[in-house]
Each structure stands twice: as C-alpha cells, then as structure tokens.
C-alpha cells in the first residue's frame, strides 16, 4: 500500500505511527503542502482526495481511504494484531473519544490552511496567530490531562500499557504544541505518556525529523 | 441512558439522529451553551466532560462517553441493529471518512467557541466572521460533493440506501450551512441526500426546532 503524507503534517504523523505499530510494509510518498502553492491542491492529488488533504492511503487494488482516523481504524480492522483499540465497547469509546478530542477539537484549529486564512484573509498579526494556536492547544490538552488523570484506565499509555489510537493522536499533537511553544507545564501525564511513546522505535521512526523529506 | 445536548449544537444533533435511528430509549438534558456564560463551562458539567463540550452520554451504570462520533460508534457496537456502519472494512472506512471530513475539517471551524474567539479576541467584524464560516463550509462540502459524485457506493443516502454515520453528520452540517446562508447551489447530491434523510421521522424528530428547548 501507498500512503501520501507530508513530513510535518500531524494527521500524516498519526498514520505513520499506526503503520509502524502494525509493522505493515508500505510506501510513503510526500505531497508537499507548501512548495508550488501546495501540491495537495493540485489536480493530481485532488483526483485521489478531492478534499486536498493528507494523509490518503491507496491499497494495492487502488482503493482509496482518506482521513487519518478512518485510515487507522481500517488498518486495525484488516490487520488486527497488535490491536490499536481495546476489546470492550466502553473502552473503545473512551479511546476513540481521546483521539477525536485531539482530531476534532484541537488540531483543526491549528491546521496550516487555517493559520494561512488568519494571516492572509483576516490579516491577523503573527503574534495573535500564535496566541490563537496556543489557546486551542493548551485549552484542549488541559482538558485531556484532566480526563486522563481521573480515569483509572490510564496507564503507561493513554489507555493501559500498550499504545492505542489515542497515542497515535496524542504524540503528533504534543509535537505541534511544543513547536509553537505552548505551555505544557500543567500536563505531566500527557508529557509522561508522550515520552513513553517516543521511547518506542515505532513512534521514533514516525517523527517528522526522521522522514526522508524532513527539511 | 441520558444524553447531555444543546438543541442547536451540531454534534448533539448527530447523536440525536443516531439515537432515533436505533430507536433507543433515552433522556435528553439540555446544557445551554449561551445562558449563564455557558452551562457547559461550569463545574457541574465539567465533572462529566472536562472538555466542556456537548454531547456527552451517561449510561445507566454511570459510564460516560464523550465526542459525538465515539458515542455513535458506541451505540452501533452495543445495539447493532439497524447498523450505522457497513459490514465491509473498506466501506466502513469510506463512511467514517465522510463523517470525519465533516467532523474534523468543516465543523470545528464553525463552532460557537471559535466564532466567539474571532469576535472577542481577534476583533473580527461580523461580516468577515460570516465569510470565514461560509468559506470552510462551502469548501468542505464542495469536496464532499465531489467525493460522493464519483463514488459508486453513493445511493439514496451517503452510502447505499439506508442511513449511516455519514448521514448523521451530513444533515446537521447542511443545517448549519443553510443557517449562515452558504452557497450550496453546486451541491445537488448533498441536498438530495439531506432531503431524503429529513423525510424520515428519525431525522425529523432530531432537528433543532423539534427539541423541547428550541427558542
């Protein structure tokens, strides 16, 4: 299978982690989000994903799957070992909710196209744009810290002692948060889990700087 | 089970549709997002969802599930009939991707708290705020129109001829788009599916105006 990604895209980073955790052979092809006005917006990539967003997975039969969480759930369904979701329905909902809290409530507000709109269309100054970024990041991650701290299911990772879909989402979001110098001082649990993840080679190989295209 | 919702919240609306499609007995309790500075931000509700967002489901044993898509997947797992996801893994991924395209790429940018930040913190004027809203709505829905038009699996509904998770997300997003007078003239497929959904009593009973708390 082939996965279209961008080395620094948070949603791509999630899928790279999942592919590594599943130990699935795959080819990565970079769609550069900045060069040439954004390769993701050009016809060649839009034919794969009309939404013009990475990541997108194309399997060996040419079937296309878009959206990072849909891709990871798909990988988990067709290659169930090791599982990225717990066996119990309530626990699965808990893990999905963590992933969605990041994917729906934090990340979309900090996406490249959104930050560009703030700058280009709304004429928001650099500092106010960074404050916006940090605001959503810090508010969302603080809520997640509270959720994880009060839940007995939190272990070495977001859920128990093996990585799940939730960790695939957490690590790229912490990466983004640190990159924009968000204040994570009140989030020891998230930072501890992030470190535990990055100590695993499957996570370490997925970080943006480890990609062939890293600049 | 009890579901905390707000009559006009798009994510709550998704869950109301799913509950009706599953024909599950439930109690709705409104958390008013505007009155009293936002009931969702107060300690009583934050004890249920630290993220301060509706919807949240509390089952009869007191277990809490947050995030609309996690709630719907949970309902689908514990009450599989009628199914809201297809049986085949690739098809499931397709339906999830449609839902996530709406839930991650369109809706978060048009959320009440985000529009408030634009107004209060970034001092964006009313018209520019509405342009922002329509921009993300129209861009995202246009991409979805393309996806559905080129996919042979599109039927009376987003996937085939029975409603799925994708339709639970589409209808509330079209409601929002119309409310802010987005231009949907190039999206006949989405409008056709929206109408087919709203002709069903399960969808009609879930619309904001049909809620006891509608203002």
């Amino acid at each position: 299978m082939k996965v279209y990604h961008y080395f620094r895209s948070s949603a791509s980073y999630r899928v790279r982690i999942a592919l590594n955790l599943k130990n699935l052979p795959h080819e990565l092809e970079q769609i550069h989000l900045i060069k040439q006005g954004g390769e993701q917006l050009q016809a060649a990539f839009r034919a794969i994903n009309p939404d013009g967003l990475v990541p997108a997975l194309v399997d060996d039969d040419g079937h296309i799957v878009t959206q990072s969480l849909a891709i990871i759930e798909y990988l988990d369904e067709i290659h169930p070992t090791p599982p990225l979701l717990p066996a119990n329905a309530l626990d699965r909902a808990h893990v999905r909710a963590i992933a969605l809290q990041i994917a729906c409530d934090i990340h979309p507000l900090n996406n490249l196209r959104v930050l560009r709109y703030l700058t280009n269309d709304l004429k928001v100054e650099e500092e106010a744009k960074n404050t916006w970024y940090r605001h959503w990041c810090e508010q969302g991650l603080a809520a997640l810290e509270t959720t994880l701290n009060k839940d007995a299911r939190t272990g070495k990772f977001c859920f128990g002692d093996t990585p799940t879909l939730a960790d695939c989402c957490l690590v790229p979001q912490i990466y983004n948060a640190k990159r924009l110098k968000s204040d994570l001082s009140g989030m020891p649990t998230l930072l501890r889990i992030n470190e535990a993840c990055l100590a695993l080679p499957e996570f370490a190989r997925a970080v943006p700087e480890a990609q062939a295209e890293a600049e």
Side-chain angles (χ1 to χ4, degrees), chain A residues 161-183:
Chain A
D161 294 328
T162 52
T164 63
L165 170 67
D167 303 289
C168 295
C169 294
L170 177 66
V171 169
Q173 190 58 53
I174 296 285
Y175 173 88
N176 278 345
K178 286 185 172 178
R179 193 161 165 254
L180 264 281
K181 302 188 178 14
S182 303
D183 178 8

Side-chain angles (χ1 to χ4, degrees), chain A residues 21-182:
Chain A
L21 288 169
K22 294 280 183 189
N23 198 21
L24 292 174
H26 61 278
E27 179 191 347
L28 290 175
E29 178 166 334
Q30 171 149 297
I31 298 297
H32 204 294
L33 301 192
I34 295 165
K35 281 187 188 159
Q36 300 179 315
E39 290 177 353
Q40 78 281 14
L41 302 176
Q42 291 166 20
F45 184 68
R46 285 229 192 238
I48 295 162
N49 185 8
D51 216 15
L53 295 168
V54 287
L57 177 150
V58 182
D59 76 9
D60 294 340
D61 297 320
H63 299 116
I64 297 165
V65 181
T66 65
Q67 291 288 337
S68 59
L69 299 195
I71 293 171
I72 297 173
E73 294 248 7
Y74 173 67
L75 295 175
D76 203 45
E77 291 186 358
I78 60 168
H79 298 284
T81 308
L84 296 181
L85 283 167
N88 172 280
L90 261 175
D91 293 339
R92 294 163 72 84
H94 177 60
V95 167
R96 286 190 177 116
I98 295 169
L100 288 162
Q101 196 189 325
I102 294 167
C104 296
D105 296 336
I106 305 176
H107 178 61
L109 299 162
N110 304 335
N111 220 338
L112 179 65
R113 62 192 186 129
V114 173
L115 300 179
R116 277 187 176 159
Y117 190 101
L118 290 178
T119 301
N120 298 338
D121 295 76
L122 295 179
K123 310 297 178 198
V124 171
E125 299 287 341
E126 187 70 10
E127 191 44 41
K129 188 187 75 177
N130 291 338
T131 302
W132 154 283
Y133 189 110
R134 286 190 290 262
H135 171 80
W136 300 114
C137 220
E138 291 170 8
Q139 184 187 80
L141 291 175
L144 187 55
E145 173 81 15
T146 304
T147 297
L148 292 183
N149 278 334
K150 74 175 190 173
D151 200 297
R153 293 169 289 187
T154 306
K156 182 177 176 188
F157 299 105
C158 286
F159 177 90
D161 294 328
T162 52
T164 63
L165 170 67
D167 303 289
C168 295
C169 294
L170 177 66
V171 169
Q173 190 58 53
I174 296 285
Y175 173 88
N176 278 345
K178 286 185 172 178
R179 193 161 165 254
L180 264 281
K181 302 188 178 14
S182 303

